[in-house]
Amino acid sequence: PAHGNTNRVQNISTFPNPFNSQVGIQFDLTEPSHVLVSVYDINGRWVQTITNKFLSKGRHSFHWDGKSFLGGTVSAGKYFISVQSPLGHQIEKITYLK
C-alpha cells in the first residue's frame, strides 16, 4: 500500500484551553512511532520537552504544568504544543492564564 503523505499523528487535542494550572494533550498514533512533544513560546523559543520517546499505536495523553525546563512557571500568554514524529508534525496553539 502507498503511504503517501499520511500523518501518523492524528486527532490532537488540548484541554482546557485556555488553562491556568495544567493543560492536557492527547493524540492518536496510527502506527508505533518515535514522538517528540515540546512546548514553544510565541516567539518560537523552546520552553519544555513533554516527551521524547518511542510510543505504541493508539491514544496517548500527556500534561504540561506551565513550567519551563528550568522549573519556573512561565508567564501568561500564548504557547505552542508541537507534536513531531518522523512522518508528521502538528502544532496546537494554547493560552496560559494566571
Side-chain angles (χ1 to χ4, degrees):
H3 285 291
N5 198 9
T6 308
N7 199 330
R8 286 183 182 169
V9 180
Q10 297 183 343
N11 304 324
I12 184 169
S13 64
T14 53
F15 55 90
N17 188 13
F19 75 104
N20 67 1
S21 60
Q22 68 174 13
V23 59
I25 301 135
Q26 284 194 341
F27 55 87
D28 295 324
L29 285 180
T30 59
E31 54 189 285
S33 180
H34 191 103
V35 176
L36 171 63
V37 181
S38 312
V39 183
Y40 293 89
D41 70 14
I42 197 75
N43 298 311
R45 287 188 298 251
W46 172 72
V47 173
Q48 178 68 275
T49 297
I50 296 170
T51 193
N52 184 7
K53 63 183 182 184
F54 197 85
L55 299 175
S56 59
K57 175 181 173 178
R59 193 92 173 130
H60 294 276
S61 295
F62 297 95
H63 287 92
W64 180 48
D65 58 5
K67 290 186 168 51
S68 74
F69 68 99
L70 294 172
T73 303
V74 299
S75 45
K78 295 198 184 309
Y79 291 85
F80 296 101
I81 301 287
S82 163
V83 181
Q84 289 174 269
S85 80
L87 279 186
H89 187 193
Q90 296 244 28
I91 292 180
E92 285 282 310
K93 188 190 286 185
I94 57 171
T95 301
Y96 179 49
L97 304 176
K98 285 201 171 172

